[in-house]
Amino acid sequence: MSEASAEEPRNFAATVFTLLFSYPTPKVVNIRIKRIGLMYRLVQVAIISYVIGYVFIWKKGYQETDRVMSSVVTKVKGVVRADLSHPSLGGHIWDSVDLLVPSQENNAFFITTNLLVTPDQTQGNCPEDPNIDVGRVSCVTDSECVAGGAVTNGNGFRTGICRTEVGTCEVSAWCPTERDVRPKPPVLTGSENFTVLVKNHIMFPKFGVKRRNIPDDMNATYLASCRYHPTRDPFCPIFIIGDILRLAGETYDAISDRGGIVAFIIEWYCNLDISESQCKPVYSFRRMDTTDEKIAKGWNFRFGHYWTDSHGTDRRTLFKAYGIRFVFTVQGAAGKFSPAVFAVRLGAGLGLLGLATILCDFILLYCLKNRQAFQKLKFLRIESKPLLNGATKMMARKVDGELCVYDYEPKLRRSKSLDHGPEQRFRAYSSVNLPCNQTVISPRTADLTASPPQAPKNPGQIVFV
């Protein structure tokens, strides 16, 4: 086996030994520059203020949080009288049962504000609605009405006959067909005075906390007389429709004509470190649709009431209801102190303090004019191989032609300020001008005086022997 191959296991073992048992330690350089020092402290103060003020005080970063789970049930009450001038609704009384269609929705409710009624329809043949703008229902002769085809967006199937008295094709449908013209002004006025009782049950499952928007300290007398107001009575669960629209930035007259969609927002943001009784809802409202929509504005739908007359004929009354749909959105979170969360956030905040050092080091090493000198002071690289082989580090320089050799042991050297350069050479700044007779000679350097090392090309460099 060759000597080179025998040395490979030794080199590998030495490398592993170095990796396992070497200890890296930062080199501390105290740089006394007022501008850098001031910037370093200002950055530290800014980071500490952010961690304490924003993370812990404002955002309550010491708390563990849980999202809200919710269910909403409503009860609407009120009565209105239909417009007396309307031929099919004049004088009719409408209560909340009539105007709420459907009577129950998941997290929503609908109140009718305007109504188009087509009464007493039966199955038969009749002229199509002339207000349909698609489907080619207008005609002059029977040839323009092809039998059997359904009218696009219409009410029935063509019979092949043109009803010249109306100017539209005859259809087989529920007759008479609806005349789709929205009543103006709305025929149902007064629903802005309706009241709605909102019952909201919420839960934070992680903490086992259950709450509702009707506190236990409320009695039946208070609940019957209170009405929500954002400042005078912010926790009353009974709301007036007109007040909701005003708080949403709308008026009842503007939205009742075509209808619209209003968001009913309930927020539960609770600090459970204080008290569960202080966990109370906050209400807000906003309109979700816009008045600038070009087509299909507002909110409307159709439904019918069906019955059979004394002759066994099926009949219905068709309603096209315009109104306001209130959609509930429940959002929130609860927080409670957690030692684990606090420790994580605190550790992250302390870690941010390292940004001050990184910023100042970047400016020192790459932005200042004398950055090269700072780079030499900052970084020190010591190769492990000369140390493992027991090599002696020597420093040599010439003073007035005389070769001076110094041992680089800290307890024997005179130099107080050492730095490194390329190729692991060291330069003694404070002792460059010392004469040889003022240099302490150690036993190892004394042994080398008989055959001293060759002087370096540049004074003050380190050589290894």
Side-chain angles (χ1 to χ4, degrees):
M1 181 182 294
S2 62
E3 295 182 1
S5 59
E7 287 292 333
E8 290 181 359
R10 298 178 183 177
N11 294 335
F12 177 76
T15 303
V16 173
F17 182 85
T18 302
L19 291 174
L20 292 177
F21 298 102
S22 63
Y23 169 67
T25 182
K27 180 180 179 180
V28 179
V29 180
N30 188 5
I31 300 175
R32 299 183 179 180
I33 301 178
K34 293 182 179 179
R35 290 176 297 174
I36 300 298
L38 178 61
M39 181 182 66
Y40 179 70
R41 298 306 177 190
L42 289 177
V43 173
Q44 284 185 325
V45 170
I47 293 174
I48 293 173
S49 301
Y50 164 78
V51 172
I52 296 177
Y54 181 78
V55 175
F56 285 112
I57 297 179
W58 180 256
K59 287 294 184 179
K60 295 180 175 62
Y62 53 86
Q63 290 184 334
E64 183 181 11
T65 60
D66 189 19
R67 305 301 300 179
V68 67
M69 297 178 63
S70 171
S71 175
V72 180
V73 178
T74 60
K75 290 183 178 180
V76 181
K77 292 184 178 181
V79 294
V80 298
R81 186 187 297 273
D83 188 356
L84 295 175
S85 63
H86 196 277
S88 59
L89 296 178
H92 190 73
I93 304 299
W94 294 72
D95 60 14
S96 57
V97 178
D98 300 318
L99 298 181
L100 265 70
V101 182
S103 57
Q104 286 292 332
E105 288 189 76
N106 290 329
N107 297 323
F109 68 95
F110 176 84
I111 292 182
T112 306
T113 59
N114 198 5
L115 201 61
L116 174 63
V117 182
T118 306
D120 201 22
Q121 289 182 316
T122 60
Q123 295 279 336
N125 297 332
C126 53
E128 181 58 280
D129 179 14
N131 297 300
I132 296 176
D133 53 359
V134 294
R136 298 180 181 180
V137 298
S138 299
C139 66
V140 178
T141 63
D142 292 346
S143 61
E144 297 178 78
C145 302
V146 180
V151 178
T152 304
N153 292 344
N155 296 286
F157 293 88
R158 294 183 180 91
T159 63
I161 300 174
C162 178
R163 301 289 291 267
T164 55
E165 72 275 14
V166 181
T168 62
C169 297
E170 185 183 75
V171 292
S172 178
W174 283 95
C175 297
T177 58
E178 178 190 66
R179 296 298 186 260
D180 192 6
V181 178
R182 185 178 70 258
K184 291 184 180 181
V187 298
L188 300 174
T189 58
S191 56
E192 72 270 23
N193 297 319
F194 279 25
T195 60
V196 52
L197 169 64
V198 177
K199 294 194 290 184
N200 178 210
H201 293 79
I202 62 104
M203 178 176 64
F204 298 106
K206 184 182 293 185
F207 305 122
V209 175
K210 297 181 180 180
R211 300 286 296 169
R212 68 171 186 161
N213 66 324
I214 304 177
D216 294 334
D217 56 359
M218 287 186 181
N219 53 43
T221 303
Y222 169 79
L223 201 60
S225 60
C226 80
R227 296 295 181 265
Y228 171 82
H229 189 277
T231 55
R232 293 195 301 267
D233 203 346
F235 302 117
C236 176
I238 300 179
F239 302 81
I240 299 176
I241 299 299
D243 292 342
I244 294 176
L245 296 176
R246 282 190 292 272
L247 293 172
E250 294 291 333
T251 63
Y252 180 82
D253 293 338
I255 200 173
S256 62
D257 182 25
R258 290 179 176 268
I261 307 172
V262 176
F264 194 121
I265 304 169
I266 308 176
E267 295 179 310
W268 294 83
Y269 289 99
C270 304
N271 184 1
L272 299 181
D273 291 331
I274 300 176
S275 174
E276 289 186 14
S277 61
Q278 299 301 316
C279 183
K280 297 180 179 180
V282 176
Y283 304 100
S284 60
F285 318 91
R286 64 174 61 95
R287 184 170 181 176
M288 299 180 67
D289 62 321
T290 65
T291 58
D292 299 331
E293 296 168 347
K294 301 297 183 182
I295 58 174
K297 293 182 179 180
W299 182 269
N300 64 79
F301 63 95
R302 291 177 174 86
F303 64 97
H305 289 171
Y306 297 84
W307 76 95
T308 302
D309 63 14
S310 59
H311 300 289
T313 303
D314 292 331
R315 297 181 179 274
R316 78 172 185 184
T317 297
L318 177 65
F319 299 91
K320 183 177 182 181
Y322 301 84
I324 309 169
R325 188 169 190 261
F326 295 88
V327 181
F328 289 95
T329 300
V330 181
Q331 56 194 23
K336 196 172 186 179
F337 176 77
S338 170
V341 174
F342 174 75
V344 170
R345 299 287 170 80
L346 181 61
L350 294 177
L352 288 176
L353 291 176
L355 293 176
T357 302
I358 294 174
L359 178 61
C360 293
D361 282 351
F362 179 81
I363 294 175
L364 282 171
L365 300 175
Y366 301 103
C367 299
L368 298 184
K369 293 182 179 179
N370 54 347
R371 55 185 176 272
Q372 293 181 351
F374 290 119
Q375 290 174 4
K376 292 179 180 180
L377 289 169
K378 177 69 177 176
F379 302 107
L380 174 62
R381 294 176 298 173
I382 300 178
E383 298 292 341
S384 60
K385 185 175 180 180
L387 299 177
L388 291 174
N389 293 335
T392 303
K393 296 177 289 300
M394 303 297 298
M395 180 171 66
R397 64 184 178 87
K398 276 188 176 183
V399 179
D400 298 330
E402 181 182 1
L403 179 63
C404 299
V405 180
Y406 306 94
D407 187 355
Y408 185 57
E409 273 190 24
K411 64 180 180 180
L412 298 174
R413 64 180 175 85
R414 274 293 188 91
S415 173
K416 297 181 179 179
S417 176
L418 294 176
D419 194 14
H420 78 297
E423 301 176 0
Q424 301 302 318
R425 295 179 177 178
F426 294 78
R427 185 176 307 227
Y429 290 95
S430 63
S431 62
V432 168
N433 298 320
L434 286 176
C436 293
N437 59 6
Q438 295 183 13
T439 303
V440 177
I441 306 297
S442 70
R444 284 187 291 184
T445 56
D447 294 338
L448 294 171
T449 53
S451 56
Q454 190 175 7
K457 296 179 180 180
N458 298 319
Q461 291 183 344
I462 301 289
V463 295
F464 296 94
V465 298

